[in-house]
Amino acid sequence: MNRLRVENVSKTFVLHHQNGVQLPVLQNASLTVNAGECVVLHGHSGSGKSTLLRSLYANYLPDNGHIHIKHGEEWVDLVTAPARKVIEVRRSTIGWVSQFLRVIPRVSALDVVMQPLLDLGVSREECAAKAANLLTRLNVPERLWHLAPSTFSGGEQQRVNIAHGFIVDYPILLLDEPTASLDAKNSAAVVALIQEAKARGAAIVGIFHDEAVRECVADRLHQMETAS
Ligand SMILES: Nc1ncnc2c1ncn2[C@@H]1O[C@H](COP(=O)(O)OP(=O)(O)OP(=O)(O)O)[C@@H](O)[C@H]1O
Ligand SMILES: [Mg+2]
């Protein structure tokens, strides 16, 4: 069953402050992802992997093409959807793990992690229990849970970020190098979370530079075409 269909997406960046230089990055990119499948974007540095992933979260607006998302019973095209629809899709359908945590000052790690589930109306007790479970599995020491993540190490921040992305059982997950700053033990914890998400039927698009991780989670590679 399709969850996500990318059709002929193109994106050219125009650098207005640098003489209007044009950088064509995506050209007619097409990709379909089914429930329970993990597709890994593959290509050299600068080939547009993050650009495509950000477009799937509607952070970037493509110049052409369609990004159809199965949102509950309806299909939404993120290229033409109004902002309120995009917010709705992000709240319940698409989870996003960026490479870096955007730290919110003075909000505790536990609160950062459980916020997306609280936003869906789940009780605070249930959210806190699920957040604690994820932070434990990701080896974030309990003494840190009530502190703001701004002073955490890079790897600790990344694990808070991953817990935040996995707290809701999203039907679609977008992962931009979630294991980049993690050691082998923590990478294995993330691999386990990804495999569980696949088993419950999540459609996953990810970028993984670590070949061992890629081999564990990828059902298929999507080769990035070089735009001319
Ligand atoms: N917001 C932006 N404005 C202008 N150019 C951009 C922007 N985002 C990306 N680019 C350009 O688009 C190209 C693709 O970048 P992107 O980050 O998608 O590559 P990538 O495949 O994820 O690379 P890496 O493996 O190094 O993360 C690069 O040449 C980059 O300079
Ligand atoms: Mg990238």
Side-chain angles (χ1 to χ4, degrees):
M1 184 183 55
N2 288 178
R3 282 270 166 84
L4 187 156
R5 289 200 317 269
V6 178
E7 291 170 7
N8 299 313
V9 161
S10 300
K11 177 76 184 170
T12 295
F13 290 107
V14 181
L15 306 180
H16 296 285
H17 299 293
Q18 296 184 66
N19 304 318
V21 165
Q22 299 204 352
L23 282 179
V25 177
L26 303 176
Q27 245 171 23
N28 294 320
S30 294
L31 166 70
T32 302
V33 189
N34 294 323
E37 186 180 42
C38 177
V39 175
V40 173
L41 305 182
H42 196 58
H44 62 78
S45 175
S47 60
K49 301 181 296 295
S50 295
T51 300
L52 179 55
L53 207 66
R54 288 196 185 118
S55 301
L56 300 183
Y57 200 57
N59 272 346
Y60 288 161
L61 184 65
D63 305 319
N64 290 298
H66 302 281
I67 297 173
H68 299 290
I69 299 287
K70 186 83 193 290
H71 174 57
E73 292 304 305
E74 63 175 326
W75 283 93
V76 174
D77 181 359
L78 289 182
V79 178
T80 55
R84 62 179 157 70
K85 192 53 126 182
V86 171
I87 291 167
E88 198 187 286
V89 167
R90 286 181 180 174
R91 187 178 298 137
S92 57
T93 297
I94 308 182
W96 163 260
V97 177
S98 62
Q99 195 179 341
F100 301 104
L101 176 68
R102 204 162 39 92
V103 177
I104 309 150
R106 288 190 289 162
V107 175
S108 76
L110 201 64
D111 282 331
V112 168
V113 171
M114 66 185 181
Q115 193 61 48
L117 197 56
L118 276 175
D119 289 346
L120 290 176
V122 175
S123 77
R124 204 172 171 84
E125 289 81 358
E126 200 179 318
C127 294
K130 197 164 178 192
N133 178 270
L134 280 167
L135 289 170
T136 302
R137 288 185 61 180
L138 290 162
N139 307 299
V140 177
E142 201 169 341
R143 64 188 152 75
L144 297 181
W145 294 2
H146 295 283
L147 303 177
S150 51
T151 56
F152 290 9
S153 75
E156 286 165 350
Q157 290 193 5
Q158 183 57 355
R159 282 175 280 144
V160 169
N161 197 25
I162 292 164
H164 172 270
F166 279 84
I167 189 93
V168 172
D169 288 338
Y170 297 104
I172 297 173
L173 277 172
L174 307 175
L175 311 172
D176 194 347
E177 301 197 40
T179 56
S181 46
L182 302 186
D183 57 23
K185 179 182 174 194
N186 286 310
S187 288
V190 176
V191 167
L193 288 175
I194 293 171
Q195 283 168 340
E196 285 168 27
K198 282 168 61 171
R200 67 167 171 77
I204 301 177
V205 184
I207 303 169
F208 301 94
H209 279 303
D210 183 332
E211 198 176 331
V213 172
R214 195 161 63 222
E215 279 177 6
C216 286
V217 300
D219 293 294
R220 178 157 76 76
L221 300 183
H222 173 81
Q223 187 63 44
M224 302 298 296
E225 309 283 338
T226 307
S228 53

